[in-house]
């Protein structure tokens, strides 16, 4: 209860904005490599093949996924403020150090370190949201939060491309890594200390034990969330890691132009995500069933995203760019509502951090698979048609999973046979 009392002394919406900015910075540092991989001098520097570009793009996602559940376990017990602050410092330093490395192995190590540290972002955010926002606020809150995840690559791509052209890829990595450290100042000043006392820690462990990992793994809702997060993220991460190269290599754009169109795509999904989250909250507030409403938005978004395939086969460069922007924008119908449904609405509050960590394993796995599989399919087919066909298939799988698996009666069970909390003497 102490954490909840402290958080009420804050303005949760202000902290939400900080969390969205933290997510934005994490995506800038995570995806700045995609612009470098479209730069010929960077590719020559490390003598990279298409397969190796895929490995580099995927490295951050493997370590990111591996540490999701440990980070969820950590924030469920030890709070949000200090685990987030320490990890934030680590990933910014690793991002800046990327500009100083001279070997492929060192480059991969830096990417792995970024993934480890950034693994705290989403579990910590959902732990905070679960403690501070009601059901009729969750879609709006997650729409605002998700803007950070979309504006990160939206802003990061053109800024990184400009810095590479104007200066060098080395300067781009160093600058984007170090500038983010400014965020730590308001974070440390605005957020109350939620590091638990011994009594609070015992209570947190007691609450978390009521929904063990076994209960999550036996729930069809959790598996539906894993499928949905993988399918959604497969498309999103393809756009983050391969879109600049696609626009340069297959559609003939300059590196700067590719950054601009990447910006439009991610601005589109950010705007639609925020609007869809707010719209769903309004409909739910009028008495509609939250599960039905959010599922409807999710299915519509997955189907809308499949229009990416129109861009793959059109001979017109203008239409290809149109479908490139529209398909990712329509995926925004999924964003906030899927996050709310799979990580908050259908999940017991006690297990939000652990479940979010588990769900993020699927998200990061999608990043690794998307980057690597797209590189292999590009090598196999010699064009981007096969990578986009894979996106089409995964989006249809996501829509099916939403309809079949996300049901209230299949939510994780809460054990009611736990031993009582130990009594402490005053």
């Amino acid at each position: 209860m102490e954490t909840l009392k402290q958080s009420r002394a804050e303005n949760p919406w202000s902290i939400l904005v900080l969390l969205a900015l933290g997510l934005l910075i994490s995506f800038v540092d995570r995806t700045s490599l995609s612009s470098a991989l479209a730069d010929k001098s960077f590719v020559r520097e490390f003598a990279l093949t298409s397969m190796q570009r895929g490995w580099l793009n995927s490295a951050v996602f493997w370590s990111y996924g591996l540490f999701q559940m440990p980070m969820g376990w950590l924030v469920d017990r030890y709070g949000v403020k200090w685990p987030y602050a320490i990890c934030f410092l680590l990933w910014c330093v690793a991002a800046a150090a990327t500009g100083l490395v001279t070997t492929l192995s060192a480059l991969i190590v830096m990417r792995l370190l970024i993934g480890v540290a950034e693994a705290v972002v989403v579990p910590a955010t959902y732990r905070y949201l679960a403690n501070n926002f009601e059901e009729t606020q969750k879609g709006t809150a997650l729409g605002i939060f998700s803007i950070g995840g979309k504006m990160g690559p939206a802003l990061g791509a053109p800024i990184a491309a400009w810095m590479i052209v104007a200066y060098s890829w080395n300067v781009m990595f160093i600058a984007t890594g170090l500038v983010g450290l400014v965020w730590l100042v308001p974070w440390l000043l605005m957020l109350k200390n939620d590091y638990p006392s011994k009594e609070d820690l015992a209570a947190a462990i007691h609450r978390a034990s009521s929904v063990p990992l076994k209960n999550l793994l036996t729930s069809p809702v959790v598996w539906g969330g894993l499928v949905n997060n993988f399918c959604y993220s497969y498309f999103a991460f393809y756009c983050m890691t391969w879109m600049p190269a696609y626009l340069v290599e297959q559609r003939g754009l300059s590196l700067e132009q590719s950054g601009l169109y990447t910006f439009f795509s991610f601005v589109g999904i950010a705007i639609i995500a925020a609007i869809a989250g707010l719209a769903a909250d309004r409909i739910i507030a009028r008495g509609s069933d939250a599960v039905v409403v959010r599922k409807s938005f999710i299915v519509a978004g997955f189907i809308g995203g499949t229009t990416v395939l129109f861009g793959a086969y059109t001979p017109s460069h203008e239409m290809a760019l149109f479908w490139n922007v529209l398909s990712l924008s329509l995926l925004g119908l999924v964003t906030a509502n899927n996050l709310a449904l799979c990580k908050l609405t259908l999940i017991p509050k006690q297990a939000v951090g652990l479940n979010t960590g588990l769900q993020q394993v699927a998200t990061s796995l999608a990043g690794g698979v998307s980057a690597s599989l797209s590189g292999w399919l590009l090598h196999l087919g010699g064009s981007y048609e096969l990578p986009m066909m894979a996106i089409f298939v995964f989006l249809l799988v996501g829509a099916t999973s939403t309809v079949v698996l996300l049901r209230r009666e299949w939510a994780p069970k809460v054990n009611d046979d736990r031993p009582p909390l130990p009594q402490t003497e005053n």
Side-chain angles (χ1 to χ4, degrees):
M1 290 299 294
E2 182 65 25
T3 300
L4 184 57
K5 289 177 183 177
Q6 286 182 345
S7 65
R8 282 178 177 167
E10 306 161 350
N11 181 342
W13 294 99
S14 297
I15 302 302
L16 175 64
V17 171
L18 267 184
L19 289 166
L21 288 173
L23 182 66
L24 184 154
I25 295 168
S26 76
F27 271 96
V28 168
D29 291 335
R30 194 185 313 172
T31 61
S32 58
L33 180 67
S34 63
S35 293
L37 290 174
D39 176 46
K40 293 180 180 178
S41 66
F42 180 83
V43 173
R44 284 196 303 266
E45 176 77 19
F46 294 95
L48 299 174
T49 65
S50 292
M51 293 285 286
Q52 289 172 326
R53 286 195 292 169
W55 297 339
L56 268 176
N57 263 328
S58 67
V60 68
F61 299 109
W62 300 123
S63 58
Y64 180 81
L66 183 64
F67 278 81
Q68 286 295 313
M69 289 184 64
M71 290 297 183
W73 181 94
L74 185 71
V75 298
D76 274 346
R77 288 159 176 79
Y78 293 97
V80 172
K81 180 175 182 177
W82 289 108
Y84 201 132
I86 293 168
C87 290
F88 188 94
L89 175 64
L90 176 60
W91 94 59
C92 285
V93 171
T98 305
L100 303 176
V101 302
T102 57
T103 65
L104 178 59
S105 59
L107 192 61
I108 292 174
V109 168
M110 291 301 105
R111 299 298 293 174
L112 292 172
L113 284 175
I114 292 171
V116 169
E118 289 190 357
V120 77
V121 173
V122 176
T125 298
Y126 280 84
R127 180 71 272 158
Y128 188 84
L129 295 181
N131 289 342
N132 291 277
F133 292 89
E134 302 297 332
E135 179 61 46
T136 54
Q137 299 174 316
K138 289 173 183 175
T140 303
L142 285 165
I144 294 171
F145 174 65
S146 67
I147 289 174
K150 310 315 172 191
M151 292 305 295
L155 294 173
I159 290 173
W162 173 78
M163 293 191 72
I164 291 171
V165 172
Y167 300 99
S168 68
W169 61 267
N170 310 78
V171 171
M172 181 273 292
F173 282 120
I174 294 170
T176 54
L178 294 182
V179 167
L181 290 172
V182 175
W183 177 92
L184 276 173
V185 177
W187 178 259
L188 295 175
L189 292 176
M190 293 172 61
L191 196 67
K192 297 289 186 180
N193 183 19
D194 58 352
Y195 190 85
S197 65
K198 290 182 179 179
E199 293 78 11
D200 293 331
L201 179 58
I205 293 172
H206 187 70
R207 287 193 301 271
S209 66
S210 67
V211 188
L213 180 60
K214 179 182 71 173
N215 290 25
L216 297 179
L217 294 177
T218 55
S219 167
V221 163
V222 171
W223 285 100
L226 289 168
V227 173
N228 277 20
N229 283 305
F230 181 93
C231 294
Y232 171 91
S233 300
Y234 186 95
F235 186 15
F237 283 127
Y238 164 84
C239 294
M240 293 177 199
T241 55
W242 281 103
M243 185 186 292
Y246 160 72
L247 295 173
V248 170
E249 296 170 2
Q250 186 151 324
R251 294 302 176 181
L253 273 62
S254 67
L255 183 59
E256 290 145 307
Q257 289 173 323
S258 75
L260 184 62
Y261 276 98
T262 301
F263 170 81
F264 288 143
S265 296
F266 282 99
V267 166
I269 189 175
I271 293 172
I272 297 298
I275 293 173
L278 177 60
D281 283 353
R282 293 288 178 84
I283 296 171
I284 293 167
R286 292 173 184 167
S288 298
D289 183 84
V291 175
V292 174
V293 171
R294 299 203 192 280
K295 284 176 67 169
S296 299
F297 275 90
I298 294 167
V299 172
F302 275 130
I303 298 301
T306 62
T307 57
V308 68
L309 207 57
F310 294 153
Y313 289 100
T314 179
S316 166
H317 285 251
E318 291 76 14
M319 290 305 298
L321 295 173
F322 169 79
W323 290 117
N324 199 65
V325 172
L326 182 65
S327 61
L328 187 61
S329 298
L330 290 175
L331 192 68
L333 294 170
V334 177
T335 309
N337 289 292
N338 185 64
L339 296 176
L341 193 60
C342 298
K343 297 179 181 178
L344 293 174
T345 302
L346 292 175
I347 303 300
K349 188 175 179 179
Q350 304 95 308
V352 164
L354 182 61
N355 175 71
T356 299
L358 178 59
Q359 294 293 332
Q360 287 301 110
V361 172
T363 299
S364 56
L365 179 64
V369 172
S370 177
S372 302
L373 180 59
S374 296
W376 179 73
L377 291 173
L378 174 61
H379 173 76
L380 187 68
S383 75
Y384 286 84
E385 291 177 0
L386 285 180
M388 290 187 182
M389 179 61 75
I391 293 169
F392 176 83
V393 172
F394 282 121
L395 292 178
L396 291 182
V397 171
T400 303
S401 167
T402 302
V403 173
V404 175
L405 296 176
L406 300 185
R407 302 182 183 182
R408 186 175 276 108
E409 63 269 25
W410 287 348
K413 304 301 180 185
V414 179
N415 295 343
D416 57 4
D417 57 350
R418 294 168 294 147
L421 276 171
Q423 297 296 314
T424 57
E425 296 182 2
N426 293 326

